[in-house]
Amino acid sequence: MSKTHASMESLTDSLSRYVLAIYELSLENKVARSKDIAGAVCVSRPSVTGALQKLDKAGLIEYEPYGYVTLTRRGEAEARQLLLKHRATQDFLELALGLPESRALEVAGQIEQSLPADVLCRLVQFNNFYRSNPDKRFDWNPACKNLCQILYGVEGPRKCHDENGIITGQSPTLQDVF
Amino acid sequence: MSKTHASMESLTDSLSRYVLAIYELSLENKVARSKDIAGAVCVSRPSVTGALQKLDKAGLIEYEPYGYVTLTRRGEAEARQLLLKHRATQDFLELALGLPESRALEVAGQIEQSLPADVLCRLVQFNNFYRSNPDKRFDWNPACKNLCQILYGVEGPRKCHDENGIITGQSPTLQDVF
DNA sequence: GAATATACTTAGGTAAACCTAACAAGATTC
DNA sequence: GAATCTTGTTAGGTTTACCTAAGTATATTC
């Protein structure tokens, strides 16, 4: 019988980061240890303890104080779903928006949380179509007009990517034209 | 001279919702009143008071207790940027992912927050390209294979859109196949 | 097997973002 | 102009998610 794990309609952003870390550590090292989770999620060890207690209550991990951590079947399903969201987002950012891999990885981590399953489903289909139809892709080369020219027919204050199509980190001050 | 408004590197998700509401109410009614902001953001009136105090300190609004609220120049710039993020996201969801307008609006509100400016810039360019090149679009019609077929070569547990290409709200249980 | 080091937890605190209940300031009405 | 809304604020509480400092368990070393 054990616990009444409150099932929890949907994981918070914060908790899902822990789930993902546990999943990846388990693949690497067979088991996930609290200290390594802290490292992966970039929080203090006490924060991990608190998160583990919640995840345990929610039935997503198997966990005894001072013991190793493993994902339950439900936890693993959750982790895979998160991973798919991440991958789909990253794919899209590289494939369709032409972001360099490192930046796509960064941004995907911010966006993935807010992808509902129906949108994810379509995004995956879209990516696949776009991947296998290179002729339909938007050409991200320097010859492309920049945002402000396309949108407003005026020269913008700054470009958002350099001559090589690599983003500069500087964004155009959209306020000036919108 | 006045206040040392702490400038605040970046608005929190919550505060930006208030800024947007103030912007839209100002357009409609000339001025924004606390009660209407509460209605627009869907929070209690005390929550609005708290948020206004923070936004005032950050230099984004002009605000005296018991008075009307107006955006400063910086606040207005912030609001326009947020609006652009929202519009770009919604456009993308309809144009590229084929979501119906109402659903696109819903989901855009969740995703927009996490769009950095460099990605926003590219997204706008992408949308514009996609809008003016209908031949390059992915055809979201019922004949298209569903997610699971494309990805894994197997029939999925459920479709994520019905015969008319309208989403059902039901998402496929990706866990089962991924 | 006692001493030390590492790993984990508890205790207690902070900050953001919300809430309800109660009070105060403006605006309306009679 | 006093009584009564309506609106806005303060007071005090909750939850989530983090933190540091200090104590406890386990593992390692001598």
Side-chain angles (χ1 to χ4, degrees):
Chain A
M1 303 294 103
S2 65
K3 291 150 268 177
T4 332
H5 48 69
S7 202
M8 199 181 254
E9 352 120 1
S10 175
L11 276 183
T12 63
D13 289 5
S14 170
L15 286 182
S16 60
R17 259 176 281 136
Y18 289 94
V19 169
L20 211 49
I22 294 166
Y23 181 78
E24 284 172 345
L25 287 169
S26 300
L27 288 185
E28 280 171 39
N29 313 338
K30 285 279 190 184
V31 290
R33 278 154 67 239
S34 187
K35 190 217 167 171
D36 299 327
I37 298 170
V41 182
C42 288
V43 294
S44 66
R45 272 167 296 154
S47 300
V48 175
T49 302
L52 293 182
Q53 288 166 353
K54 283 181 196 165
L55 291 174
D56 185 34
K57 212 177 283 179
L60 295 174
I61 61 171
E62 213 67 62
Y63 165 68
E64 296 296 325
Y66 295 95
Y68 293 135
V69 181
T70 51
L71 290 170
T72 61
R73 176 163 285 119
R74 272 189 57 225
E76 213 175 301
E78 187 65 45
R80 289 214 195 91
Q81 169 108 356
L82 291 167
L83 214 59
L84 180 52
K85 283 187 186 180
H86 184 90
R87 192 172 303 174
T89 308
Q90 193 186 339
D91 276 4
F92 166 74
L93 292 172
E94 290 182 45
L95 205 59
L97 296 197
L99 289 186
E101 193 188 338
S102 60
R103 179 64 177 151
L105 201 121
E106 245 171 47
V107 177
Q110 297 164 36
I111 298 180
E112 61 188 5
Q113 306 288 0
S114 40
L115 269 191
D118 60 322
V119 176
L120 170 62
C121 168
R122 284 172 174 243
L123 189 60
V124 171
Q125 286 184 66
F126 178 86
N127 285 343
N128 241 284
F129 164 79
Y130 220 62
R131 193 174 354 246
S132 51
N133 291 276
D135 54 302
K136 304 229 170 175
R137 290 185 198 168
F138 177 51
D139 183 13
W140 287 102
N141 81 30
C144 289
K145 294 195 189 67
N146 80 8
L147 166 67
C148 304
Q149 288 176 313
I150 294 174
L151 264 182
Y152 315 104
V154 296
E155 188 69 40
R158 241 181 297 162
K159 292 242 183 92
C160 64
H161 52 74
D162 67 16
E163 308 72 40
N164 304 310
I166 304 298
I167 60 148
T168 59
Q170 296 280 19
S171 61
T173 57
L174 296 155
Q175 299 96 326
D176 297 337
V177 289
F178 183 63
Chain B
M1 311 288 107
S2 63
K3 291 150 269 174
T4 332
H5 46 68
S7 200
M8 200 180 255
E9 352 119 3
S10 175
L11 277 182
T12 63
D13 289 5
S14 170
L15 287 182
S16 60
R17 258 176 281 138
Y18 289 94
V19 169
L20 211 50
I22 294 167
Y23 181 78
E24 284 171 346
L25 286 168
S26 300
L27 288 184
E28 280 171 41
N29 314 338
K30 285 273 192 189
V31 291
R33 278 154 67 240
S34 188
K35 190 219 168 169
D36 298 328
I37 299 171
V41 182
C42 288
V43 294
S44 67
R45 275 168 294 151
S47 299
V48 175
T49 303
L52 293 182
Q53 289 166 351
K54 282 181 196 166
L55 290 174
D56 185 34
K57 212 175 283 179
L60 295 174
I61 61 171
E62 213 68 63
Y63 164 69
E64 297 295 325
Y66 295 97
Y68 292 136
V69 181
T70 52
L71 290 171
T72 61
R73 178 163 285 117
R74 272 189 57 224
E76 213 175 302
E78 186 66 42
R80 288 215 196 90
Q81 169 107 359
L82 290 167
L83 214 59
L84 180 52
K85 282 186 188 181
H86 184 89
R87 190 170 307 172
T89 306
Q90 194 187 337
D91 277 4
F92 166 74
L93 292 172
E94 289 182 46
L95 206 59
L97 294 198
L99 288 186
E101 193 187 337
S102 59
R103 179 64 178 152
L105 202 120
E106 246 171 46
V107 177
Q110 298 165 35
I111 297 181
E112 61 190 4
Q113 307 287 1
S114 40
L115 270 191
D118 60 320
V119 176
L120 169 61
C121 168
R122 284 168 175 246
L123 189 59
V124 171
Q125 286 184 66
F126 178 87
N127 285 343
N128 241 283
F129 163 81
Y130 221 62
R131 189 169 4 240
S132 52
N133 292 275
D135 56 304
K136 304 225 168 180
R137 290 186 199 167
F138 177 53
D139 183 15
W140 287 102
N141 82 29
C144 290
K145 295 197 185 68
N146 80 8
L147 166 66
C148 304
Q149 287 176 315
I150 294 174
L151 265 181
Y152 316 104
V154 297
E155 190 68 41
R158 241 180 296 161
K159 291 242 183 96
C160 63
H161 52 72
D162 66 16
E163 307 71 40
N164 304 309
I166 304 298
I167 60 147
T168 58
Q170 295 280 21
S171 62
T173 57
L174 295 155
Q175 299 96 324
D176 296 338
V177 288
F178 184 62

PDB file of all heavy atoms in Angstrom, chain B residues 13 15 23 28 30 36 46 48 50 55 61 63-64 74 76 78 85 92 107 114 123 132 142 154 156 160-162:
ATOM      1  N   ASP B  13       8.413  36.906 -15.411  1.00  0.00           N
ATOM      2  CA  ASP B  13       7.242  36.565 -16.206  1.00  0.00           C
ATOM      3  C   ASP B  13       6.007  37.256 -15.643  1.00  0.00           C
ATOM      4  O   ASP B  13       5.192  37.805 -16.380  1.00  0.00           O
ATOM      5  CB  ASP B  13       6.989  35.053 -16.176  1.00  0.00           C
ATOM      6  CG  ASP B  13       8.034  34.293 -16.961  1.00  0.00           C
ATOM      7  OD1 ASP B  13       8.992  34.924 -17.448  1.00  0.00           O
ATOM      8  OD2 ASP B  13       7.881  33.067 -17.081  1.00  0.00           O
ATOM      9  N   LEU B  15       5.679  39.963 -13.698  1.00  0.00           N
ATOM     10  CA  LEU B  15       5.623  41.419 -13.855  1.00  0.00           C
ATOM     11  C   LEU B  15       5.354  41.822 -15.300  1.00  0.00           C
ATOM     12  O   LEU B  15       4.667  42.809 -15.555  1.00  0.00           O
ATOM     13  CB  LEU B  15       6.918  42.054 -13.349  1.00  0.00           C
ATOM     14  CG  LEU B  15       7.069  42.069 -11.822  1.00  0.00           C
ATOM     15  CD1 LEU B  15       8.368  42.753 -11.415  1.00  0.00           C
ATOM     16  CD2 LEU B  15       5.879  42.768 -11.176  1.00  0.00           C
ATOM     17  N   TYR B  23      -0.500  48.353 -20.643  1.00  0.00           N
ATOM     18  CA  TYR B  23      -0.382  48.883 -22.007  1.00  0.00           C
ATOM     19  C   TYR B  23      -1.714  48.784 -22.740  1.00  0.00           C
ATOM     20  O   TYR B  23      -2.182  49.743 -23.343  1.00  0.00           O
ATOM     21  CB  TYR B  23       0.696  48.102 -22.750  1.00  0.00           C
ATOM     22  CG  TYR B  23       0.933  48.564 -24.166  1.00  0.00           C
ATOM     23  CD1 TYR B  23       1.684  49.702 -24.413  1.00  0.00           C
ATOM     24  CD2 TYR B  23       0.429  47.861 -25.259  1.00  0.00           C
ATOM     25  CE1 TYR B  23       1.927  50.140 -25.708  1.00  0.00           C
ATOM     26  CE2 TYR B  23       0.665  48.279 -26.553  1.00  0.00           C
ATOM     27  CZ  TYR B  23       1.415  49.414 -26.771  1.00  0.00           C
ATOM     28  OH  TYR B  23       1.646  49.842 -28.054  1.00  0.00           O
ATOM     29  N   GLU B  28      -7.089  51.219 -24.610  1.00  0.00           N
ATOM     30  CA  GLU B  28      -8.552  51.164 -24.605  1.00  0.00           C
ATOM     31  C   GLU B  28      -9.176  52.367 -23.920  1.00  0.00           C
ATOM     32  O   GLU B  28     -10.071  53.015 -24.451  1.00  0.00           O
ATOM     33  CB  GLU B  28      -9.028  49.906 -23.863  1.00  0.00           C
ATOM     34  CG  GLU B  28      -8.988  48.628 -24.678  1.00  0.00           C
ATOM     35  CD  GLU B  28      -9.268  47.417 -23.786  1.00  0.00           C
ATOM     36  OE1 GLU B  28     -10.149  47.501 -22.917  1.00  0.00           O
ATOM     37  OE2 GLU B  28      -8.581  46.381 -23.952  1.00  0.00           O
ATOM     38  N   LYS B  30      -7.510  55.030 -22.156  1.00  0.00           N
ATOM     39  CA  LYS B  30      -6.657  56.182 -21.851  1.00  0.00           C
ATOM     40  C   LYS B  30      -5.835  55.975 -20.583  1.00  0.00           C
ATOM     41  O   LYS B  30      -4.657  56.262 -20.547  1.00  0.00           O
ATOM     42  CB  LYS B  30      -7.484  57.479 -21.705  1.00  0.00           C
ATOM     43  CG  LYS B  30      -7.975  58.036 -23.033  1.00  0.00           C
ATOM     44  CD  LYS B  30      -6.917  58.934 -23.628  1.00  0.00           C
ATOM     45  CE  LYS B  30      -7.407  59.762 -24.811  1.00  0.00           C
ATOM     46  NZ  LYS B  30      -6.275  60.430 -25.466  1.00  0.00           N
ATOM     47  N   ASP B  36      -9.032  47.178 -12.984  1.00  0.00           N
ATOM     48  CA  ASP B  36      -9.061  46.617 -14.334  1.00  0.00           C
ATOM     49  C   ASP B  36      -7.821  45.783 -14.619  1.00  0.00           C
ATOM     50  O   ASP B  36      -7.880  44.780 -15.329  1.00  0.00           O
ATOM     51  CB  ASP B  36      -9.173  47.745 -15.359  1.00  0.00           C
ATOM     52  CG  ASP B  36     -10.465  48.536 -15.174  1.00  0.00           C
ATOM     53  OD1 ASP B  36     -11.470  47.927 -14.755  1.00  0.00           O
ATOM     54  OD2 ASP B  36     -10.456  49.754 -15.419  1.00  0.00           O
ATOM     55  N   PRO B  46      -5.107  43.195  -4.155  1.00  0.00           N
ATOM     56  CA  PRO B  46      -3.849  43.385  -3.411  1.00  0.00           C
ATOM     57  C   PRO B  46      -2.615  42.951  -4.209  1.00  0.00           C
ATOM     58  O   PRO B  46      -1.558  43.569  -4.098  1.00  0.00           O
ATOM     59  CB  PRO B  46      -4.040  42.509  -2.173  1.00  0.00           C
ATOM     60  CG  PRO B  46      -5.505  42.472  -1.973  1.00  0.00           C
ATOM     61  CD  PRO B  46      -6.101  42.483  -3.347  1.00  0.00           C
ATOM     62  N   VAL B  48      -2.157  43.272  -7.333  1.00  0.00           N
ATOM     63  CA  VAL B  48      -1.854  44.355  -8.262  1.00  0.00           C
ATOM     64  C   VAL B  48      -1.064  45.446  -7.554  1.00  0.00           C
ATOM     65  O   VAL B  48      -0.042  45.919  -8.057  1.00  0.00           O
ATOM     66  CB  VAL B  48      -3.139  44.941  -8.863  1.00  0.00           C
ATOM     67  CG1 VAL B  48      -2.821  46.147  -9.729  1.00  0.00           C
ATOM     68  CG2 VAL B  48      -3.866  43.889  -9.668  1.00  0.00           C
ATOM     69  N   GLY B  50       0.901  45.268  -5.056  1.00  0.00           N
ATOM     70  CA  GLY B  50       2.280  44.806  -4.886  1.00  0.00           C
ATOM     71  C   GLY B  50       3.077  44.916  -6.162  1.00  0.00           C
ATOM     72  O   GLY B  50       4.207  45.407  -6.162  1.00  0.00           O
ATOM     73  N   LEU B  55       6.983  47.658 -10.101  1.00  0.00           N
ATOM     74  CA  LEU B  55       7.164  48.253 -11.429  1.00  0.00           C
ATOM     75  C   LEU B  55       7.549  49.725 -11.301  1.00  0.00           C
ATOM     76  O   LEU B  55       8.322  50.242 -12.107  1.00  0.00           O
ATOM     77  CB  LEU B  55       5.890  48.100 -12.261  1.00  0.00           C
ATOM     78  CG  LEU B  55       5.570  46.674 -12.698  1.00  0.00           C
ATOM     79  CD1 LEU B  55       4.220  46.614 -13.399  1.00  0.00           C
ATOM     80  CD2 LEU B  55       6.664  46.122 -13.611  1.00  0.00           C
ATOM     81  N   ILE B  61       6.653  52.276 -14.634  1.00  0.00           N
ATOM     82  CA  ILE B  61       5.357  52.964 -14.588  1.00  0.00           C
ATOM     83  C   ILE B  61       5.454  54.236 -13.746  1.00  0.00           C
ATOM     84  O   ILE B  61       6.357  54.395 -12.919  1.00  0.00           O
ATOM     85  CB  ILE B  61       4.232  52.074 -13.999  1.00  0.00           C
ATOM     86  CG1 ILE B  61       4.564  51.680 -12.551  1.00  0.00           C
ATOM     87  CG2 ILE B  61       4.003  50.852 -14.847  1.00  0.00           C
ATOM     88  CD1 ILE B  61       3.420  50.995 -11.825  1.00  0.00           C
ATOM     89  N   TYR B  63       3.334  56.171 -10.963  1.00  0.00           N
ATOM     90  CA  TYR B  63       2.332  55.633 -10.045  1.00  0.00           C
ATOM     91  C   TYR B  63       2.361  56.319  -8.687  1.00  0.00           C
ATOM     92  O   TYR B  63       3.405  56.370  -8.032  1.00  0.00           O
ATOM     93  CB  TYR B  63       2.580  54.130  -9.890  1.00  0.00           C
ATOM     94  CG  TYR B  63       1.908  53.484  -8.714  1.00  0.00           C
ATOM     95  CD1 TYR B  63       0.528  53.337  -8.667  1.00  0.00           C
ATOM     96  CD2 TYR B  63       2.664  52.996  -7.649  1.00  0.00           C
ATOM     97  CE1 TYR B  63      -0.085  52.721  -7.588  1.00  0.00           C
ATOM     98  CE2 TYR B  63       2.061  52.377  -6.570  1.00  0.00           C
ATOM     99  CZ  TYR B  63       0.692  52.236  -6.549  1.00  0.00           C
ATOM    100  OH  TYR B  63       0.090  51.617  -5.485  1.00  0.00           O
ATOM    101  N   GLU B  64       1.238  56.867  -8.279  1.00  0.00           N
ATOM    102  CA  GLU B  64       1.045  57.369  -6.922  1.00  0.00           C
ATOM    103  C   GLU B  64      -0.069  56.546  -6.298  1.00  0.00           C
ATOM    104  O   GLU B  64      -1.058  56.250  -6.969  1.00  0.00           O
ATOM    105  CB  GLU B  64       0.602  58.838  -6.933  1.00  0.00           C
ATOM    106  CG  GLU B  64       1.617  59.806  -7.528  1.00  0.00           C
ATOM    107  CD  GLU B  64       2.888  59.890  -6.712  1.00  0.00           C
ATOM    108  OE1 GLU B  64       2.809  59.803  -5.465  1.00  0.00           O
ATOM    109  OE2 GLU B  64       3.964  60.021  -7.324  1.00  0.00           O
ATOM    110  N   ARG B  74      10.195  53.798 -20.923  1.00  0.00           N
ATOM    111  CA  ARG B  74      10.818  52.468 -20.822  1.00  0.00           C
ATOM    112  C   ARG B  74       9.769  51.369 -20.670  1.00  0.00           C
ATOM    113  O   ARG B  74       9.897  50.277 -21.229  1.00  0.00           O
ATOM    114  CB  ARG B  74      11.779  52.414 -19.637  1.00  0.00           C
ATOM    115  CG  ARG B  74      13.202  52.875 -19.973  1.00  0.00           C
ATOM    116  CD  ARG B  74      14.148  52.592 -18.811  1.00  0.00           C
ATOM    117  NE  ARG B  74      14.165  51.192 -18.430  1.00  0.00           N
ATOM    118  CZ  ARG B  74      14.134  50.750 -17.175  1.00  0.00           C
ATOM    119  NH1 ARG B  74      14.082  51.589 -16.170  1.00  0.00           N
ATOM    120  NH2 ARG B  74      14.143  49.456 -16.931  1.00  0.00           N
ATOM    121  N   GLU B  76       6.764  51.409 -21.803  1.00  0.00           N
ATOM    122  CA  GLU B  76       6.061  51.241 -23.066  1.00  0.00           C
ATOM    123  C   GLU B  76       6.909  50.432 -24.046  1.00  0.00           C
ATOM    124  O   GLU B  76       6.385  49.572 -24.770  1.00  0.00           O
ATOM    125  CB  GLU B  76       5.747  52.619 -23.648  1.00  0.00           C
ATOM    126  CG  GLU B  76       4.444  52.649 -24.416  1.00  0.00           C
ATOM    127  CD  GLU B  76       4.114  54.053 -24.881  1.00  0.00           C
ATOM    128  OE1 GLU B  76       4.016  54.951 -24.022  1.00  0.00           O
ATOM    129  OE2 GLU B  76       3.974  54.248 -26.117  1.00  0.00           O
ATOM    130  N   GLU B  78       9.052  48.207 -23.251  1.00  0.00           N
ATOM    131  CA  GLU B  78       8.965  46.838 -22.748  1.00  0.00           C
ATOM    132  C   GLU B  78       7.662  46.178 -23.225  1.00  0.00           C
ATOM    133  O   GLU B  78       7.663  45.037 -23.687  1.00  0.00           O
ATOM    134  CB  GLU B  78       9.009  46.872 -21.222  1.00  0.00           C
ATOM    135  CG  GLU B  78       9.080  45.520 -20.555  1.00  0.00           C
ATOM    136  CD  GLU B  78      10.373  44.780 -20.841  1.00  0.00           C
ATOM    137  OE1 GLU B  78      11.445  45.403 -20.815  1.00  0.00           O
ATOM    138  OE2 GLU B  78      10.292  43.563 -21.118  1.00  0.00           O
ATOM    139  N   LYS B  85       6.694  39.707 -29.219  1.00  0.00           N
ATOM    140  CA  LYS B  85       6.973  38.300 -28.914  1.00  0.00           C
ATOM    141  C   LYS B  85       5.706  37.478 -29.029  1.00  0.00           C
ATOM    142  O   LYS B  85       5.699  36.394 -29.603  1.00  0.00           O
ATOM    143  CB  LYS B  85       7.524  38.166 -27.483  1.00  0.00           C
ATOM    144  CG  LYS B  85       8.973  38.532 -27.345  1.00  0.00           C
ATOM    145  CD  LYS B  85       9.477  38.224 -25.947  1.00  0.00           C
ATOM    146  CE  LYS B  85      10.885  38.788 -25.781  1.00  0.00           C
ATOM    147  NZ  LYS B  85      11.439  38.506 -24.434  1.00  0.00           N
ATOM    148  N   PHE B  92       3.653  32.039 -35.727  1.00  0.00           N
ATOM    149  CA  PHE B  92       4.364  30.795 -36.002  1.00  0.00           C
ATOM    150  C   PHE B  92       3.475  29.582 -35.766  1.00  0.00           C
ATOM    151  O   PHE B  92       3.440  28.648 -36.579  1.00  0.00           O
ATOM    152  CB  PHE B  92       5.621  30.692 -35.140  1.00  0.00           C
ATOM    153  CG  PHE B  92       6.203  29.323 -35.127  1.00  0.00           C
ATOM    154  CD1 PHE B  92       6.892  28.840 -36.224  1.00  0.00           C
ATOM    155  CD2 PHE B  92       6.037  28.497 -34.019  1.00  0.00           C
ATOM    156  CE1 PHE B  92       7.417  27.551 -36.227  1.00  0.00           C
ATOM    157  CE2 PHE B  92       6.545  27.206 -34.020  1.00  0.00           C
ATOM    158  CZ  PHE B  92       7.234  26.736 -35.128  1.00  0.00           C
ATOM    159  N   VAL B 107      -1.536  29.125 -26.413  1.00  0.00           N
ATOM    160  CA  VAL B 107      -0.194  28.585 -26.253  1.00  0.00           C
ATOM    161  C   VAL B 107       0.864  29.685 -26.355  1.00  0.00           C
ATOM    162  O   VAL B 107       1.863  29.669 -25.638  1.00  0.00           O
ATOM    163  CB  VAL B 107       0.080  27.505 -27.321  1.00  0.00           C
ATOM    164  CG1 VAL B 107       1.500  26.992 -27.212  1.00  0.00           C
ATOM    165  CG2 VAL B 107      -0.907  26.365 -27.170  1.00  0.00           C
ATOM    166  N   SER B 114       9.560  33.025 -22.774  1.00  0.00           N
ATOM    167  CA  SER B 114      10.903  32.442 -22.810  1.00  0.00           C
ATOM    168  C   SER B 114      11.616  32.651 -24.142  1.00  0.00           C
ATOM    169  O   SER B 114      12.523  31.919 -24.482  1.00  0.00           O
ATOM    170  CB  SER B 114      10.816  30.955 -22.454  1.00  0.00           C
ATOM    171  OG  SER B 114       9.690  30.349 -23.037  1.00  0.00           O
ATOM    172  N   LEU B 123      12.682  34.498 -35.556  1.00  0.00           N
ATOM    173  CA  LEU B 123      11.337  33.960 -35.696  1.00  0.00           C
ATOM    174  C   LEU B 123      10.495  34.875 -36.590  1.00  0.00           C
ATOM    175  O   LEU B 123       9.734  34.406 -37.447  1.00  0.00           O
ATOM    176  CB  LEU B 123      10.681  33.830 -34.323  1.00  0.00           C
ATOM    177  CG  LEU B 123       9.345  33.090 -34.292  1.00  0.00           C
ATOM    178  CD1 LEU B 123       9.484  31.678 -34.814  1.00  0.00           C
ATOM    179  CD2 LEU B 123       8.763  33.072 -32.889  1.00  0.00           C
ATOM    180  N   SER B 132       5.050  34.514 -47.018  1.00  0.00           N
ATOM    181  CA  SER B 132       5.075  34.957 -48.413  1.00  0.00           C
ATOM    182  C   SER B 132       5.540  33.861 -49.372  1.00  0.00           C
ATOM    183  O   SER B 132       5.697  34.095 -50.565  1.00  0.00           O
ATOM    184  CB  SER B 132       5.938  36.210 -48.540  1.00  0.00           C
ATOM    185  OG  SER B 132       7.194  35.995 -47.955  1.00  0.00           O
ATOM    186  N   PRO B 142      -5.191  15.998 -43.365  1.00  0.00           N
ATOM    187  CA  PRO B 142      -5.369  14.694 -42.720  1.00  0.00           C
ATOM    188  C   PRO B 142      -4.554  13.583 -43.381  1.00  0.00           C
ATOM    189  O   PRO B 142      -4.276  12.560 -42.747  1.00  0.00           O
ATOM    190  CB  PRO B 142      -6.865  14.425 -42.881  1.00  0.00           C
ATOM    191  CG  PRO B 142      -7.472  15.758 -43.112  1.00  0.00           C
ATOM    192  CD  PRO B 142      -6.451  16.590 -43.797  1.00  0.00           C
ATOM    193  N   VAL B 154       5.685   3.202 -36.750  1.00  0.00           N
ATOM    194  CA  VAL B 154       4.601   2.408 -36.172  1.00  0.00           C
ATOM    195  C   VAL B 154       3.354   3.261 -36.031  1.00  0.00           C
ATOM    196  O   VAL B 154       3.419   4.486 -35.990  1.00  0.00           O
ATOM    197  CB  VAL B 154       4.961   1.865 -34.772  1.00  0.00           C
ATOM    198  CG1 VAL B 154       6.135   0.916 -34.854  1.00  0.00           C
ATOM    199  CG2 VAL B 154       5.264   3.022 -33.832  1.00  0.00           C
ATOM    200  N   GLY B 156       0.660   5.065 -34.101  1.00  0.00           N
ATOM    201  CA  GLY B 156       0.653   5.633 -32.756  1.00  0.00           C
ATOM    202  C   GLY B 156      -0.607   5.276 -32.005  1.00  0.00           C
ATOM    203  O   GLY B 156      -1.578   4.789 -32.587  1.00  0.00           O
ATOM    204  N   CYS B 160      -3.231  13.251 -32.931  1.00  0.00           N
ATOM    205  CA  CYS B 160      -3.280  14.506 -32.188  1.00  0.00           C
ATOM    206  C   CYS B 160      -4.137  15.545 -32.880  1.00  0.00           C
ATOM    207  O   CYS B 160      -4.319  16.634 -32.401  1.00  0.00           O
ATOM    208  CB  CYS B 160      -1.892  15.049 -31.893  1.00  0.00           C
ATOM    209  SG  CYS B 160      -0.945  15.470 -33.347  1.00  0.00           S
ATOM    210  N   HIS B 161      -4.655  15.184 -34.075  1.00  0.00           N
ATOM    211  CA  HIS B 161      -5.656  16.064 -34.668  1.00  0.00           C
ATOM    212  C   HIS B 161      -6.668  15.195 -35.412  1.00  0.00           C
ATOM    213  O   HIS B 161      -6.381  14.084 -35.816  1.00  0.00           O
ATOM    214  CB  HIS B 161      -5.010  17.084 -35.616  1.00  0.00           C
ATOM    215  CG  HIS B 161      -4.112  16.472 -36.651  1.00  0.00           C
ATOM    216  ND1 HIS B 161      -4.577  15.761 -37.716  1.00  0.00           N
ATOM    217  CD2 HIS B 161      -2.773  16.457 -36.751  1.00  0.00           C
ATOM    218  CE1 HIS B 161      -3.553  15.344 -38.451  1.00  0.00           C
ATOM    219  NE2 HIS B 161      -2.440  15.755 -37.879  1.00  0.00           N
ATOM    220  N   ASP B 162      -7.866  15.703 -35.583  1.00  0.00           N
ATOM    221  CA  ASP B 162      -8.924  14.896 -36.180  1.00  0.00           C
ATOM    222  C   ASP B 162      -8.895  14.970 -37.705  1.00  0.00           C
ATOM    223  O   ASP B 162      -7.965  15.511 -38.296  1.00  0.00           O
ATOM    224  CB  ASP B 162     -10.293  15.298 -35.620  1.00  0.00           C
ATOM    225  CG  ASP B 162     -10.680  16.717 -36.038  1.00  0.00           C
ATOM    226  OD1 ASP B 162     -10.059  17.248 -36.970  1.00  0.00           O
ATOM    227  OD2 ASP B 162     -11.587  17.270 -35.413  1.00  0.00           O
TER     228      ASP B 162
END
